[in-house]
Amino acid sequence: QVQVVESGGGLVQAGGSLRLSCATSGRTLSGYVMGWFRQAPGKEREFVARISWSSSNTIYADSVKGRFTISRDNAKNTVYLQMNSLKPEDTAVYYCAGGQIYPGTTTREYNYWGQGTQVTVSS
């Protein structure tokens, strides 16, 4: 059984930074593509970023490109999302997800999900 657990969320002032972590257990997901999604109240869950197992290929949503950086440490079975220059519109629950067959940017392409961590950016 694969488990995915996010951590690192919290309250931060606009312009500040936060780093989210995604720890996996049960079976390693180091060979999987991993992604971050977010969902704000009343909105659909949207793609944020994703990374290949070797870290050689990354994709970012236009709304976060240049501000967020996705990375992973396969030896630690952990994926990170470094968030800089945070804006109030970044406020959402952030979810970590994994896929086995080279998923892209849609939620249905991922088959392992965490329960999310809340990020709140105040103005």
Side-chain angles (χ1 to χ4, degrees):
Q1 182 178 356
V2 174
Q3 294 179 314
V4 180
V5 181
E6 304 95 335
S7 63
L11 176 64
V12 65
Q13 190 174 2
S17 298
L18 211 58
R19 189 176 78 160
L20 306 183
S21 297
C22 172
T24 65
S25 62
R27 295 195 303 274
T28 182
L29 295 180
S30 62
Y32 292 29
V33 171
M34 300 295 295
W36 287 95
F37 293 77
R38 66 187 183 186
Q39 187 167 20
K43 291 189 174 183
E44 298 286 318
R45 189 169 299 186
E46 67 174 355
F47 169 78
V48 176
R50 82 104 165 101
I51 188 169
S52 64
W53 74 269
S54 67
S55 299
S56 62
N57 183 273
T58 57
I59 300 174
Y60 294 92
D62 289 341
S63 59
V64 307
K65 194 170 186 177
R67 300 188 297 121
F68 291 11
T69 302
I70 188 171
S71 62
R72 67 192 300 168
D73 186 338
N74 291 339
K76 297 181 179 179
N77 294 322
T78 303
V79 182
Y80 305 97
L81 184 68
Q82 178 66 47
M83 305 184 294
N84 298 326
S85 301
L86 283 163
K87 306 174 182 179
E89 51 262 46
D90 294 319
T91 296
V93 176
Y94 282 71
Y95 298 89
C96 181
Q100 296 176 292
I101 51 175
Y102 210 75
T105 62
T106 65
T107 58
R108 66 192 308 163
E109 294 177 281
Y110 295 80
N111 55 335
Y112 298 105
W113 291 85
Q115 293 190 328
T117 185
Q118 177 71 49
V119 172
T120 303
V121 184
S122 64
S123 56

